[in-house]
Each structure stands twice: as C-alpha cells, then as structure tokens.
C-alpha cells in the first residue's frame, strides 16, 4: 500500500521512507481525500487507514506458566530478514529469542469472499516463545528484524508481568467477553455498522489495563467474514491490551464455519476463512490449532476452552478432551474451574432460542451437563448471543441454590453466563423470562473475575458504555466444599475397612 507515504502531522510513520524500514510499532496515517461539492467547489474527508505490512502489529498470548508467546505481523519474509524478540527482566540485560514465520495463501482458504474479492495479502506472521519466565516478575521486550545488510529495525519497548505460578495465592483478575469485532476511530462506519459497541469495550479495557491480568475473548473475534484486511484492523485496535496482558481466544462461527470443511455447523458464517486466519494469527496452547480446544491455567484458575464449531457430543474427540481438562485440575491449588465455549451450550433466554423452545444451542448441555456436575464446574461462559445473562447455579434445569448475590459452601451446580455483548449488534431476549434467569441486560459489556485467594471470588458484569458494575455476586468456600458429595457428583466409596 502506498498509504504510508502520505505526509500527516499525526502520522506515526516516517513520511516518504520505505515502509519496510519503519521503526515505529504501528504505522498509521490520516489520509485526506478531496471531493468537489457543486455548491462550494470543494470539500474533504479524512479516514484513518492502517497498514500492518509497513511495520508491526502484534498480540501477546499465554503459552503456559513458564512461557509466553509473542506474535506479530510484518512485510518481511524469511529471505528478507530474521525476526526475533529482545526481552528480559526489567532493568536487566536482555536476551534474544528467535521467531518462526508463517503466512496465509489465497488457495489455503475455502471460499468467497476470502479467496476472491475479500483477499488481501496478510503479510508474514511471526511467533516467538519467551521461556523460563520467573512468575510475577515484570519483563520488557521489543520486536526486531535483522536485515540482509546487517542493520536492525525495532518496535518500541513494551512490558508485561509474567503469569503467577499455578495455585499461587495472590490477587488475580480475569476479563471474559465474546463477539467484539472492531470499529472505526475515524468516524466512518462499516457496512450496516455491525459492531457498534466494539470501541467502547476496547476503550474500557485499555482504561483499566493496570487492573487486568489476562483476557479471554471467547469467539467471533474480528467479524472479518472473509475480508482479510479486517484482521489488521482488529489487531491494531486490541494492541494496547494484547501487548500488556495475555489475550486468549476461542473459535466462533465467524472464524470457522464453512460447508464441507469439517465444521460441525454447515453454514457460511466465516466468509470462506474456515478457521485459517484465526489459527494462524492467534497462537493458543492447543495440540492442533485446527481443533481450537485447549486448557489454560492462570494462578488459581483453570479454564477449559471448548470449540463449539466442532463436534463435542459424548464419545467425540473433543468430549474426551473436555473431560480430561476438567478431571486433571488440582482443586486444592486451582479452586476456580471455568468452562467456556462460543455458542451457548448451557442456558440462554435469547429470542431465537426461545422460538426454538430450547433456551440453549441444540445438543449442548445434554452432552456436557453431567461433566460440569461431576467435576463441579463453578462458571460456564458463552458468547454468540449478543447480550448478557446470568443463571442461578443449575443442574438438569433445576436451580440448586436460591441465593442471588452470594454463594457459599458445596458446589451443587454451575452458574451459566452469556457474555456475548462485546461489541456486535445486540440480540433481543425472549418475552418469557425463565425461572433460572437471575439477571438479563440488553447492552454491551464484559465480565471481570477477581480471585482474592483460594476461598474468595468476586464476579462483576460491567457495561462498556461507562465501565460501571451492573451485576455482581461473590463465592466463598473451602476445599472441603469442593470435595463434598453432590447429586451426580460423588466419588465411589466402599464398605470395606
């Protein structure tokens, strides 16, 4: 793109220079177009255009307790430069870690518009692993490329705090939302203004970034829908968040679904991307990123991230993973067990589900609820439905606790939360409010979990428009409460002595 060669007082590029030799981290410039007005003879309109091929756009993802993974994009292939990350404990001498390089070709996509009118060369995606990190310590880093003439180009310097040791007793703060997409900061609108709340959510998280430790964006990430340049738009938008804290993602229908490609739902929602962009742009600790399910540990939390766009019925490969993820957590060290998927596999009184009479995604909780109950899952999060709703602690369609603001003692059922109001157009509720629905909100927002220690958890739902808390509850309990026998959740015993 020649966009970066325009002069502009607020440009972060060096006007007139070679885009591949830029030093700044994200290169964007206000471009002014002039039009002729029949009354005055002239007018103008400005747009903010982002060109990630010029230098760097990147996200930071968790790769395990001792590792962090840094991913960024550039215009350099491996025959043009050597990518790496220079990093170290803040104040100490840095080291350099090499980065691998991938890209996406047009013929790796599954259909139109991704492979036709929506195609745009995504550049080169670089990933580096920062290993053997000291828990809780602050690290600084910058991205680099060694060019063929032995000169270097650099991003600006960034910092992050390494993850806590699994089970560590300390303040830990987690953000959860789905279906955010991206917005335009120059005042222009995408066709149909599909994600009107996206910038509000992003800005609230940036504003509170010092009080956030990790983010889970549970599907429908960019809503690029086959228009590849929109991935650049999204990564630029979340860069102030993802450069500071781990930004974990899940697979949604708008990333994955395409007919005859192995997705469980035979729709065209991905616009022909069929998961390729999401799998390449976002590094998550899955054994096979084409199957986007994985376990994620953060201090006192264990997250089991399912891929609702693949089969998860009993007996399937994914069902076995989910049970393994839930069964292998040590609840004495990691008491807060969270299940998450994009589609609503639990409970939602969304209008569409109400029309179906199911209040859930078909074949959702029927397959999984006995696992949630057996392993005493605390919370289950979903996106897909663009609103907020919280259920009572529930099992087999029955509330097992009459409390609404504080839960204590034995884990008798799972609280299901729809948090799909990250930014996309809102979904209306059914006219009927089910008995299990504790709180509903037709607005954009996100959830913040705060673990104070092994016995105390605070849940807060915040609106994106103002960052204020509109729904909340607390959980307090001890390890013996997790071990206690509940309906369909008892360990086998014997009468032998």
């Amino acid at each position: 793109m020649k966009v970066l060669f325009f002069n502009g007082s607020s440009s972060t590029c060096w006007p007139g220079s070679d885009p591949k030799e830029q030093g700044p981290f994200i290169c964007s410039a206000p471009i002014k177009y002039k039009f002729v007005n029949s009354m005055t003879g002239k007018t103008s309109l400005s747009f903010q255009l982002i060109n990630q091929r010029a230098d760097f756009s990147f996200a930071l993802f968790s790769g395990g307790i001792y590792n962090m993974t840094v991913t960024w994009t550039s215009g350099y292939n491996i025959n043009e430069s050597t990518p790496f990350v220079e990093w170290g404990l803040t104040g100490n001498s840095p080291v350099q870690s090499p980065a691998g390089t991938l890209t996406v070709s047009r013929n790796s996509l599954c259909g139109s518009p991704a492979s036709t009118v929506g195609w745009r060369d995504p550049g080169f995606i670089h990933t580096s692993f920062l290993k053997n990190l000291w828990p809780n310590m602050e690290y600084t880093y910058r991205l680099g490329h060694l060019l063929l003439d032995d000169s270097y180009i650099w991003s600006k310097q960034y910092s992050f705090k390494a993850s806590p040791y699994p089970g560590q007793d300390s303040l830990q703060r987690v953000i959860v939302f789905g279906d955010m997409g991206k917005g335009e900061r120059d005042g222009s609108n995408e066709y149909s203004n599909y994600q009107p709340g996206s910038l509000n959510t992003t800005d609230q998280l940036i504003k509170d970034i010092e009080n956030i430790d990790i983010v889970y964006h549970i599907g429908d990430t960019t809503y690029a829908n086959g228009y590849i340049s929109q991935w650049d738009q999204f990564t630029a938008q979340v860069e102030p968040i993802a450069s500071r804290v781990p930004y974990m993602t899940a697979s949604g229908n708008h990333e994955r679904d395409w007919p005859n490609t192995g997705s469980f739902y035979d729709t065209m929602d991905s616009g022909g991307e069929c998961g390729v962009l999401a799998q390449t742009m976002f590094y998550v600790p899955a054994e096979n990123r084409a199957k986007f399910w994985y376990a994620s540990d953060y201090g006192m939390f264990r997250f089991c991230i399912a891929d609702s766009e693949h089969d998860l019925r009993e007996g399937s490969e994914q069902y076995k993973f989910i049970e393994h993820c839930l069964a292998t957590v040590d609840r004495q060290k990691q008491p807060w067990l969270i299940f998450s998927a994009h589609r609503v596999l639990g409970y939602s009184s969304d209008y569409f589900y109400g029309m179906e009479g199911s209040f859930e995604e078909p074949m959702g909780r029927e397959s999984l609820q006995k696992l949630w109950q057996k392993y005493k899952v605390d919370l289950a999060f979903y996106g897909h439905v663009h609103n907020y709703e919280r259920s009572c602690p529930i099992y087999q369609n029955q509330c097992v606790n009459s409390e609404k603001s504080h839960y204590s003692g034995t884990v008798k059922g799972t609280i299901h939360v729809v948090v799909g109001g990250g930014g996309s157009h809102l979904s209306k509720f059914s006219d009927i409010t089910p008995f299990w629905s504790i709180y509903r909100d037709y607005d954009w927002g996100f959830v913040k979990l705060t673990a104070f220690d092994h016995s105390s958890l605070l849940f807060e739902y915040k609106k994106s428009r103002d960052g204020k808390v509109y729904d909340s509850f607390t959980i307090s309990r001890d390890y013996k409460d997790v071990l206690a026998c509940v309906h369909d959740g008892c360990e086998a015993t014997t009468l032998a002595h």
Side-chain angles (χ1 to χ4, degrees), residues 92-222:
N92 288 16
S93 298
V95 298
Q96 293 182 351
S97 293
T101 299
L102 298 174
T103 190
V104 172
S105 63
R106 190 194 297 251
N107 61 11
S108 68
L109 303 173
C110 295
S112 181
S115 60
T116 56
V117 296
W119 168 254
R120 176 178 178 238
D121 186 345
F124 301 97
I125 298 97
H126 313 289
T127 300
S128 181
F129 299 90
L130 314 186
K131 300 181 179 181
N132 300 318
L133 301 177
W134 291 80
N136 313 304
M137 299 299 289
E138 183 180 82
Y139 287 82
T140 57
Y141 67 98
R142 59 177 179 167
L143 316 176
H145 282 260
L146 173 60
L147 303 181
L148 297 180
D149 62 2
D150 291 331
S151 63
Y152 290 85
I153 58 169
W154 299 96
S155 74
K156 72 176 185 180
Q157 185 166 277
Y158 291 85
S159 65
F160 69 90
K161 183 181 178 182
S163 301
Y165 191 81
Q168 176 184 302
D169 197 341
S170 62
L171 183 68
Q172 295 160 17
R173 301 151 301 183
V174 179
I175 298 294
V176 185
F177 61 87
D179 304 72
M180 186 173 76
K182 70 281 168 199
E184 307 294 338
R185 292 197 181 275
D186 58 15
S188 64
N189 286 326
E190 183 180 339
Y191 175 70
S192 80
N193 197 21
Y194 197 70
Q195 303 119 59
S198 175
L199 289 177
N200 282 349
T201 300
T202 302
D203 290 345
Q204 287 297 339
L205 298 184
I206 294 172
K207 182 179 179 180
D208 197 38
I209 194 65
E210 297 297 333
N211 301 304
I212 295 171
D213 296 312
I214 188 169
V215 171
Y216 288 88
H217 186 160
I218 52 175
D220 283 7
T221 311
T222 68

Side-chain angles (χ1 to χ4, degrees), residues 228-279:
I228 311 304
S229 65
Q230 295 300 295
W231 284 87
D232 291 334
Q233 190 75 24
F234 174 81
T235 54
Q237 181 173 314
V238 301
E239 178 267 331
I241 306 166
S243 62
R244 296 286 307 279
V245 301
Y247 197 98
M248 312 301 293
T249 60
S251 180
N253 53 305
H254 285 280
E255 283 82 53
R256 180 61 185 86
D257 291 1
W258 191 256
N260 199 32
T261 65
S263 56
F264 191 57
Y265 297 86
D266 208 29
T267 74
M268 303 175 72
D269 291 350
S270 75
E273 292 181 15
C274 57
V276 173
L277 269 299
Q279 297 159 22

